[in-house]
Amino acid sequence: MCIRDRIDLTAILNFFASSLGQKILAQPDQVKREVPFSLLLPAGQLFPDLAKVSEDILVHGIIDGFLVTPKDVYLFDYKTDYIQAGNAVKEKQLIERYQGQLNLYAQALVKILKRPVTHKYLYLLRIGKLVELK
């Protein structure tokens, strides 16, 4: 099977039809993708059980993408986890699983851009759903 046969075009089209996708299409020069970062964080911030440890932990990651506008910074991450549409329990678990990851990405982005991240999104490709995280 060719790699192009494995691409879910409907999921991609649904993403670009979303509110975030429309913002990205309107300002493609302001979008950054696959941005690597490194971040030093206190051990206790990552692992509450290590609150008394004075060591830092080096975190490496790659941000799927972000859009910078004059007023806002939109951070987004694509997720391909299997989930059935309408399964609210699994969807909530999936969102909770990745909340911490996006919070780390947002911290790194604040350091990179020297401005706050105003919107954080997960895009659940399997069900075509854009979820804004608080």
Side-chain angles (χ1 to χ4, degrees):
M1 177 187 297
C2 181
I3 192 131
R4 74 169 179 225
D5 295 333
R6 290 195 250 165
I7 296 171
D8 186 347
L9 291 177
T10 301
I12 294 168
L13 292 173
N14 286 342
F15 172 74
F16 285 108
S18 73
S19 59
L20 176 61
Q22 290 297 298
K23 286 177 178 58
I24 289 170
L25 289 173
Q27 302 171 77
D29 294 340
Q30 302 306 313
V31 177
K32 303 291 182 213
R33 290 184 176 86
E34 299 295 322
V35 178
F37 70 90
S38 295
L39 187 63
L40 266 179
L41 294 173
Q45 184 177 337
L46 291 171
F47 305 103
D49 293 348
L50 300 178
K52 295 180 182 179
V53 174
S54 62
E55 302 294 321
D56 288 337
I57 294 178
L58 179 61
V59 178
H60 293 285
I62 297 177
I63 298 170
D64 279 354
F66 62 92
L67 166 67
V68 178
T69 69
K71 290 174 45 178
D72 293 298
V73 175
Y74 299 85
L75 167 64
F76 55 93
D77 197 66
Y78 307 109
K79 296 300 173 196
T80 59
D81 301 55
Y82 178 77
I83 183 173
Q84 288 182 325
N87 189 335
V89 172
K90 291 289 187 186
E91 186 178 318
K92 183 178 181 205
Q93 290 172 343
L94 186 67
I95 292 165
E96 288 171 355
R97 179 182 318 147
Y98 291 112
Q99 178 81 48
Q101 178 185 357
L102 249 58
N103 289 341
L104 286 174
Y105 288 3
Q107 282 184 283
L109 206 47
V110 166
K111 289 188 182 282
I112 293 167
L113 299 175
K114 309 282 191 263
R115 58 186 283 197
V117 172
T118 53
H119 303 277
K120 296 181 288 186
Y121 292 96
L122 289 176
Y123 188 71
L124 309 178
L125 283 156
R126 299 279 182 173
I127 60 172
K129 185 169 184 176
L130 182 67
V131 178
E132 185 165 12
L133 304 178
K134 300 297 175 202

